[in-house]
Amino acid sequence: SSLDVQAPFKVRFDFEIFKPLNYARIGFFITTPTGVMVFEAYDADEEEWAGRRQPGRLIVECEVPGHLFNPGRFLLNINAGIPGVKNLLHLEGVLTLKVEETSSTASLMRTPREGVVRLRLNWKSHKLHEA
């Protein structure tokens, strides 16, 4: 999947729970092709999903902000389970993300950045009044 460096994207899971599960979570982690961990995220980071999961079909969605990655290739991996108890699913390299620079974003960053991520942070400038 190709992504623009400035565009957010969503990761969505559609799954079914067949019996009550305590502290189960599903999420994903992003790595470089060489295995460097960029970050991991789980639905249980939200308090409403941090406890007991009841049976039923669920759809969970996470939005990853734009201006996060430097251009390059990244792998989306999936993990689900009960931390410290049982891993229910672990799939690596489910999707390759090709993050690309467009002409509209190139002018904003002007030069290549080092590192895996390329956050576009909010900067403020205040002019000091001379005494």
Side-chain angles (χ1 to χ4, degrees), residues 31-97:
T31 61
T32 66
T34 60
V36 174
M37 176 70 76
V38 178
F39 71 87
E40 64 180 324
Y42 291 94
D43 65 341
D45 293 341
E46 295 292 328
E47 281 195 37
E48 83 175 276
W49 299 111
R52 187 169 178 85
R53 297 285 179 104
Q54 297 299 327
R57 187 165 177 193
L58 295 170
I59 295 174
V60 296
E61 188 174 81
C62 177
E63 182 170 315
V64 178
H67 299 285
L68 179 63
F69 297 100
N70 256 325
R73 292 189 184 276
F74 301 90
L75 300 176
L76 184 129
N77 312 277
I78 299 173
N79 195 55
I82 303 167
V85 176
K86 183 176 184 179
N87 200 29
L88 302 170
L89 176 71
H90 184 86
L91 299 172
E92 293 191 15
V94 173
L95 182 65
T96 298
L97 304 173

Side-chain angles (χ1 to χ4, degrees), residues 124-130:
K124 292 185 180 183
S125 176
H126 303 281
K127 187 171 185 174
L128 299 175
H129 298 285
E130 294 184 25

